[in-house]
Amino acid sequence: MEKRMLPHLRWCFGNSLKLHLTLWIICSSCCLPYLVEAQSRIPPETVQLWASEFGGELNSIVTKYSGSLLLQKKYKDVEPFIRIEEVDGVELVMQFGEKMKEMLGRKVEAVKRLVDAAEEADLYHKYDMNFEFDYYNSVLINEIDENGNYVELGNEFILEVNEHFNNLPVNTSLSNIQVPTNVYNKDPNILNGGYWSEALNIVFYENFMQDPTLTWQYFGSSTGFFRLYPGIKWMPDGNGVISFDCRNRGWYIQAATSPKDIVILFDISGSMKGLRLTIAKHTINTILDTLGENDFVNIIAYSDYVHYVEPCFEGTLVQADRDNREHFKLLVDKLNAKGTGVVSKALIEAFIILNKFNETGQGSLCNQAIMLITDGAVEEYEAIFEQYNWPDCKVRVFTYLIGREVTFAEYVKWIACNNKGYYTHISTLADVQENVMEYLHVLSRPMVINHDHDIIWTEAYMDSALFQSAAQSLLLMTTVAMPVFSRKNETRAHGILLGVVGSDVPLKELLKLAPRYKLGVHGYAFLNTNNGYILAHPDLRPLYKDGKKTKPKPNYNSVDLSEVEWEDTDEILRTAMVNGETGTISINVKVPVDEGKRVLFLTNDYFYTHIDETPFSLCIVLTRGHGESLFVGNISVEEGLHDIVQPDLTIANEWIYCVTDIDPAHRKLSQKEAVIHYLSGEDPDLECDEELVQEVLFDAVVTAPIEAYWTAIAMNTSENNEDGIEMAFLGTRAGLMRSSPFVGKEKHSNKKFFTIQDRHSIFTMDHFPLWYRRAAEHPAGLFVYYIAFEEGMGKKNRSKSVTASTAVKVTVSKKMAIAAAVGVQINLSLLRRKFWKATRQCSNIEGRCPISCEDDALNCFLMDNNGFILISKKEEETGTFLGEVDGSVMTQLLNMGLFNEVKLYDYQAMCKEPTNHHSGSQPMLSPFYNVLAALKWFLSNLFIFLVEFNFCGLWNVENLVNAKTIFHFGHKHRKVEAFQPCNTEYPVFVYDYTIKEANGLVECGDCQNKGIAFLN
């Protein structure tokens, strides 16, 4: 009679010191009676033996080839000659803030000089309708006709590639002019403005000479032309159109007008059907595009009755940030025209909202306006204006008459003219842009008349529309801008806005003033605006991948501080920084690393202050413990120079050891070359960070012996050398890196490692390397292991190398600091050989091996401490999360407390969402439409369900359901048209190192038996 199998799950733990890997032996079969006997003959002692053998040998290998003991000894030897200093976060943030204030102040002074020059040039220019002037048109320059002659406005314009301007061909001696397609490039306004603005050329050039860190400087004219320095060749889009209009840019609009409260009244009566409704919607969208974070808005639609397009915003105004603007556009697009237009109720509602905001001190506290979009008005509504707006006319009313019919134009015009507004007639879609812009000129008049030259700073943005180059389109910047007014006596009372001047400030230039080496392994600096939006942050991800294309996220410049520093749950930090305060706060944080697949648990101290004369605040973040300690050691230049010139030594090229981007003679120097030139006296004009240079010299001397050590190992051809150790490497707190290959480059499993192609493996402006950060959170001498996850890497092409690293620490007077991290890259084949060899062994108690990991009845996995598989019988499972391979087992590990689930949040995610095509007739196509849709949904989800979990696991429904709710790594999204911004919650799993040994039984069902042995 066949013996019935008792389903159970066995857990056994073995401890291997200095090895952060986890071994699971999973016995899987379906109704195999002999398995019970086999399982009973794998006692914990055997698993402990496997742990000791494999762990001990692996630790011996990585210790030997990395040279970690030698490096630790070398730093130990110099401890008597170094001192460890505690970082004063308050002093540091104030110091950085002052430097940023000075740097931004220089940009403001440059813009002020441009304003003075522009207003002076216009003052002495006499406008001539018949004026002729050949300017450099940025689209036409260097263009030749069929006769070999330069085309009109397209004379020769010398361009040279310039590294300072993102390797674009530019002319640093002259500016040139861009004119959008919808503006005639020889219009008298363009020719007159182009002529007098030539006076800016000398100021552009002198500004750049005085402050070589300046980038783009420009003047945007109210007539539509855009003068840019340095001059460039402007390329039309694929349709030959120049759509860029400087008057639509955020910097122009913010400088040209003060903050404003806007209520848009949208006539959706029956007479607005067809083309009129289309034009009206486009008009509203264009008005919304002229608003920014300092403005407040709402939209009221009216016909027979009044209703807010967003009921949640009833009776109030909302900040005109990008999310709200896009939300309004979607709602407006869904509106249909019907009924009779009753504008009186809409006007009263708008005045009530604006008056309430004015009385309570809410909103922009500046301009207020009503935008009336309609195809006509049947009366003047004088009684309403007498009650709510006259005689002061605190609320301006702008009217937009839609359509070709002008029967009711008189009343519409009267409403605008008697409420300090502006009337415009829009009959076609082509009229919308120019006519909408007129309201900006009206709102700017009080500022122009008073000559209030307010300085504005924009939010972070990437002007990919301005420069069609990959380098520039990926560059985050802010702009400082000021309005330019007419000083002529005859027009002064009219308040003529000539345009806006501005200059771009790349945000990476600001963050260079908070040197990375002063912030510790996990520290960083960030900036935010007085609206709470992130200006610059190492964890800001403004781009996303859509197939092979890299694109800016729709909401990249409206990411709130609370969405990046999401552990600030009470928004104490956010509130303080928005209010421009100076202070400090401590927060326990969970920091995602390795593309969110792992997590670090840190206590961070935040030190923040306001940058005077700007709307920005600065914060530096230091990690409690080693993150607030730096050690200082001195070494002679002669000794350090000898070691730093070695070819296998590199330094972080994104760090600023020496300033190389100002003097053209220095721009081709790498940071290492610049340091060598500076130390050797070859180039005394180089400006270098002496503190950082001294640190890297010290580290070069201390780490020099390891090069000889690695070389000796590589030259040793004895049989003891392991086939599979590909390279050794180290990095120090000063950004110094050394590496030594043990195999030819062509044999490296991960050729991107330690190169710019793998930014996680090198020192960058934002982060220390991943292997350094993870090692820093473990005791010195304990190696941590991981497989690199490359974006877009399929299961068949996953990385075949494992990175192991450990920290090197120094201690002086009971104070500890991280000096370096050292490690090796190991080919997985070596790990596999050692692993299978270790699991063939038996304990002395047993006498013989009844079963091993090579048996068909056993599935053995080697995992890291986050549950990702390093070794499996199926090589394609390497790098896969265990929950994907067997979700029911992972669920049981969680239930027993062996792993902890950590919930993380991503408020910058991009999700693929199905595009819904709404149609009222769709359900009428077939009576079976809903049935077929439901069936399609069921089958697609069933397919995903089966793919995500192994078939044997289906016998255990309870475990399967639990696993399904937790593990989503294998989820396959259906192909959809576009990504959309979304917020996501996702789990990361961390092994609990406090558990050293345990045993347990788990019911697995009649037809599945799983015996699991575990070692750590």
Side-chain angles (χ1 to χ4, degrees), residues 129-173:
M129 278 291 295
N130 301 312
F131 190 73
E132 294 290 334
F133 174 61
D134 287 336
Y135 60 89
Y136 288 110
N137 185 296
S138 61
V139 178
L140 301 175
I141 55 170
N142 301 329
E143 294 291 324
I144 297 176
D145 61 21
E146 61 274 9
N147 299 320
N149 301 317
Y150 288 109
V151 300
E152 190 176 21
L153 302 180
N155 291 328
E156 181 182 12
F157 194 78
I158 298 173
L159 299 171
E160 295 179 350
V161 172
N162 191 306
E163 297 92 339
H164 184 66
F165 293 95
N166 307 100
N167 290 311
L168 288 174
V170 300
N171 185 320
T172 55
S173 299

Side-chain angles (χ1 to χ4, degrees), residues 264-494:
I264 301 173
L265 303 183
F266 183 14
D267 181 356
I268 55 170
S269 61
S271 60
M272 289 285 287
K273 287 182 178 179
L275 181 60
R276 289 181 181 179
L277 189 65
T278 301
I279 295 172
K281 289 179 178 180
H282 185 42
T283 300
I284 292 174
N285 289 345
T286 306
I287 293 172
L288 289 172
D289 287 337
T290 66
L291 305 180
E293 281 76 11
N294 295 321
D295 303 317
F296 291 80
V297 67
N298 206 337
I299 302 178
I300 298 174
Y302 70 91
S303 54
D304 299 317
Y305 62 97
V306 170
H307 75 276
Y308 290 80
V309 296
E310 173 51 79
C312 295
F313 299 159
E314 182 173 349
T316 189
L317 300 176
V318 295
Q319 188 178 21
D321 58 25
R322 185 207 169 269
D323 291 340
N324 285 332
R325 296 197 306 268
E326 293 302 312
H327 184 59
F328 277 130
K329 289 179 183 180
L330 291 173
L331 296 173
V332 166
D333 186 58
K334 296 177 182 179
L335 295 175
N336 297 312
K338 59 182 178 180
T340 304
V342 182
V343 72
S344 56
K345 294 180 180 179
L347 282 169
I348 292 171
E349 186 70 17
F351 277 120
I352 290 174
I353 295 174
L354 293 171
N355 289 340
K356 182 180 73 172
F357 259 60
N358 187 47
E359 291 170 1
T360 58
Q362 297 175 277
S364 67
L365 303 178
C366 199
N367 293 306
Q368 291 193 320
I370 294 172
M371 308 294 198
L372 178 60
I373 290 91
T374 182
D375 61 348
V378 295
E379 61 172 294
E380 298 171 346
Y381 306 102
E382 188 170 347
I384 295 175
F385 299 125
E386 284 182 349
Q387 180 178 354
Y388 292 99
N389 205 35
W390 292 349
D392 297 331
C393 289
K394 293 181 179 179
V395 178
R396 296 177 183 268
V397 181
F398 296 87
T399 56
Y400 299 85
L401 184 66
I402 306 298
R404 299 185 183 278
E405 182 62 49
V406 293
T407 304
F408 302 104
E410 182 178 351
Y411 290 131
V412 176
K413 185 175 182 179
W414 184 93
I415 291 172
C417 294
N418 285 276
N419 289 277
K420 293 186 177 181
Y422 192 87
Y423 158 79
T424 185
H425 180 206
I426 303 177
S427 57
T428 67
L429 286 170
D431 297 335
V432 171
Q433 185 69 48
E434 286 293 323
N435 284 291
V436 165
M437 299 304 295
E438 292 295 340
Y439 95 87
L440 294 175
H441 298 153
V442 175
L443 290 184
S444 69
R445 281 175 190 163
M447 183 173 64
V448 177
I449 292 171
N450 295 327
H451 272 236
D452 295 331
H453 287 95
D454 292 335
I455 301 166
I456 68 99
W457 291 90
T458 68
E459 71 282 355
Y461 71 101
M462 293 181 292
D463 212 335
S464 55
L466 176 55
F467 302 106
Q468 302 298 320
S469 105
Q472 179 67 22
S473 65
L474 306 186
L475 184 65
L476 274 170
M477 65 184 78
T478 182
T479 292
V480 55
M482 291 178 65
V484 179
F485 309 133
S486 173
R487 295 183 188 172
K488 294 178 179 178
N489 290 330
E490 61 270 26
T491 60
R492 191 180 184 99
H494 298 290

Side-chain angles (χ1 to χ4, degrees), residues 177-197:
I177 289 176
Q178 175 267 346
V179 182
T181 300
N182 64 331
V183 177
Y184 177 44
N185 59 23
K186 296 197 73 175
D187 182 278
N189 290 324
I190 301 297
L191 296 179
N192 279 270
Y195 176 77
W196 66 253
S197 64

Side-chain angles (χ1 to χ4, degrees), residues 566-567 589-592 596-601 866 894 899-905 966 968-969 985-991:
W566 49 267
E567 298 276 18
V589 297
K590 297 183 284 288
V591 180
K597 295 179 175 64
R598 311 182 194 282
V599 63
L600 301 176
F601 300 92
N866 296 112
L894 283 166
F899 273 84
N900 294 319
E901 178 186 357
V902 179
K903 289 185 178 180
L904 300 177
Y905 302 90
I966 297 174
H968 56 272
F969 295 92
E985 175 188 289
Y986 63 97
V988 170
F989 301 91
V990 180
Y991 167 65

